[in-house]
Amino acid sequence: MKMNIRIFENEEDLNATGAGLIASLLQTKPRAVLGLATGSSPVGIYKQLITLYQKGLVSFSQASSFNLDEYVGLPTEHRESYRSFMNEQLFNHIDMDLARTLVPDGQAADLEQECNSYEQRLDDRGPVDLQLLGIGHNGHIGFNEPGTELTGRTHVVDLKDETRKANARFFDSLEEVPAQAITMGVGTILKAKQILLIARGEEKAEIIREAFTGPITTACPASLLQCHPNVVVLLDRAAGRLVR
């Protein structure tokens, strides 16, 4: 299947396009279920969505959301918890009911039960209408790390050293980066009606080429997106230089 890959000359156009896809969905389906992501890739899109909301062009009042993942062991109020990230980058600035913004509980006493419960809530409220994704340097989506096999459903994952090192820039030291996370599985991600993947920067160029023009393999989890019928990939010039 030919991927719908768009390469942008400037960040403003990339962010506006991504935000426009989400806003258009909400305008036609106010009760849409959004799958949301953290990290640096979606921040500009969230800023654009806040601007659209402030201008009265979009409302989130009837929508609900599920986040891809959360670190295990970080308090919700920790500045690097994904709940804190989402509140600060989006939820605190729009009219979405916080009770309908779901993030896995990385402090749950029974992590396996939390994973099962999260998956059940996805089944009950889903399918996700639009799932926003970034991509890791090793091809992970959510926190689904490369391996000989992948878990389909929401699960606890041991984070690879390279993933922890990549995320250490957000913490005071590498030792503070959690060793585990709860993540939607690849099967769960692929249930979404539409997937919107964002990547920026020269350091993502090689993994983008591998994920979207190479073979489908669990060694590059993002390559499984080639099996999905409705994927939009938005790249800046640097990230897209090898897929022109």
Side-chain angles (χ1 to χ4, degrees):
M1 182 188 72
K2 182 176 175 57
M3 303 296 296
N4 183 359
I5 298 175
R6 299 187 59 184
I7 299 172
F8 295 84
E9 297 301 319
N10 62 74
E11 294 290 317
E12 184 177 353
D13 287 347
L14 190 162
N15 293 332
T17 299
L21 286 172
I22 296 171
S24 294
L25 169 63
L26 290 167
Q27 288 159 357
T28 57
K29 187 178 181 181
R31 295 183 181 274
V33 178
L34 303 176
L36 300 179
T38 55
S40 56
S41 296
V43 169
I45 289 173
Y46 292 155
K47 288 180 179 177
Q48 286 279 345
L49 286 171
I50 292 167
T51 297
L52 292 173
Y53 164 69
Q54 291 171 339
K55 290 181 177 180
L57 298 175
V58 66
S59 172
F60 300 80
S61 62
Q62 299 181 63
S64 57
S65 69
F66 287 87
N67 259 76
L68 275 171
D69 42 30
E70 176 63 284
Y71 287 120
V72 167
L74 280 191
T76 299
E77 63 274 12
H78 190 286
R79 71 183 189 280
E80 294 304 332
S81 79
Y82 288 166
R83 164 55 75 181
S84 290
F85 177 99
M86 292 305 306
N87 288 349
E88 293 172 7
Q89 298 294 334
L90 183 64
F91 297 149
N92 289 346
H93 310 286
I94 58 175
D95 60 345
M96 184 178 282
D97 182 353
L98 278 177
R100 291 204 297 271
T101 64
L102 302 181
V103 180
D105 181 4
Q107 288 192 290
D110 186 333
L111 292 174
E112 183 176 355
Q113 176 57 39
E114 171 61 16
C115 292
N116 291 337
S117 175
Y118 202 71
E119 190 76 23
Q120 186 61 55
R121 284 178 284 179
L122 277 159
D123 287 342
D124 292 343
R125 299 194 189 190
V128 169
D129 290 290
L130 185 149
Q131 176 65 61
L132 185 60
L133 294 177
I135 182 172
H137 294 85
N138 61 4
H140 72 239
I141 48 175
F143 271 128
N144 293 282
E145 300 280 22
T148 56
E149 58 185 29
L150 296 173
T151 302
R153 293 167 59 83
T154 302
H155 62 286
V156 177
V157 63
D158 295 325
L159 300 180
K160 300 278 190 183
D161 287 344
E162 58 192 307
T163 297
R164 295 183 67 239
K165 288 175 181 176
N167 288 354
R169 67 189 188 276
F170 301 117
F171 293 81
D172 292 333
S173 68
L174 176 61
E175 289 69 31
E176 291 188 16
V177 182
Q180 291 184 312
I182 295 175
T183 184
M184 288 186 197
V186 173
T188 304
I189 292 169
L190 290 174
K191 289 179 183 178
K193 294 179 181 178
Q194 181 176 34
I195 292 173
L196 172 60
L197 185 141
I198 312 297
R200 311 171 195 266
E202 171 70 26
E203 70 277 6
K204 295 293 178 71
E206 179 58 37
I207 198 62
I208 287 293
R209 182 202 61 76
E210 184 178 339
F212 298 120
T213 67
I216 298 172
T217 169
T218 59
C220 178
S223 69
L224 276 77
L225 297 176
Q226 295 183 48
C227 300
H228 195 283
N230 190 3
V231 178
V232 177
V233 181
L234 305 184
L235 309 170
D236 65 9
R237 174 189 280 272
R241 70 179 182 84
L242 299 180
V243 293
R244 290 180 180 276

